[in-house]
Amino acid sequence: MKSFIYKIALLGDGGVGKTSLVLRYCENAFKENYMMTIGSNFSTKTVELEEYPNYKIKLQIWDLAGQKHFSFVRPPFYRGSSGILMIFDLTHRSSFQNLLNWK
C-alpha cells in the first residue's frame, strides 16, 4: 500500500469556525462553545479512496489562530503546506473581505 502525507493549513479571521470545521471533519463531532485557538491546533485524518484501494492519504490539518495578535506565529506553519483553506463566516461580511489580508 502506498501512503501519502499532505499538510493543510486553515486560515481566516478569529471566530469564523476553523476549529469547528476541523473537529467535524476529523472526529465527526461538534461543540457549541470553543476556547480561542492560541497559536495553532493540529489534527490528522486518514483517507482511503475507493477508486484507489492501494493508496492511503494522511492529512495533517493545521488550524491557525485568527486573531491579529497571533500573526507573528503563523508564517512557520505555512511552510511545507500542500494546500491552504481560507475560511470565512457567511454571517460576517468583513471575514470574507479580510481574506485578502490572509493571502
Side-chain angles (χ1 to χ4, degrees):
M1 180 172 285
K2 293 184 180 182
S3 296
F4 299 92
I5 299 174
Y6 295 101
K7 178 180 177 181
I8 309 296
L10 272 64
L11 311 179
D13 288 355
V16 296
K18 297 180 299 292
T19 302
S20 293
L21 285 171
V22 172
L23 183 64
R24 182 69 170 166
Y25 181 67
C26 292
E27 300 179 24
N28 197 28
F30 179 79
K31 292 181 184 175
E32 288 191 33
N33 298 310
Y34 284 95
M35 292 179 55
M36 175 178 63
T37 300
I38 298 175
S40 70
N41 287 329
F42 170 78
S43 298
T44 61
K45 171 90 174 187
T46 300
V47 179
E48 295 184 29
L49 303 174
E50 291 179 20
E51 299 84 16
Y52 303 97
N54 294 325
Y55 291 81
K56 188 189 314 186
I57 300 167
K58 184 174 185 176
L59 301 174
Q60 296 177 342
I61 303 172
W62 293 83
D63 171 14
L64 305 176
Q67 290 72 17
K68 284 190 184 235
H69 56 276
F70 291 116
S71 62
F72 69 96
V73 299
R74 290 187 207 121
F77 290 104
Y78 302 159
R79 283 190 212 109
S81 293
S82 301
I84 292 176
L85 298 176
M86 299 176 86
I87 310 299
F88 65 96
D89 181 344
L90 286 172
T91 65
H92 292 94
R93 184 181 198 93
S94 64
S95 72
F96 178 73
Q97 293 166 333
N98 288 339
L99 290 179
L100 290 175
N101 299 327
W102 288 92
K103 185 175 171 190

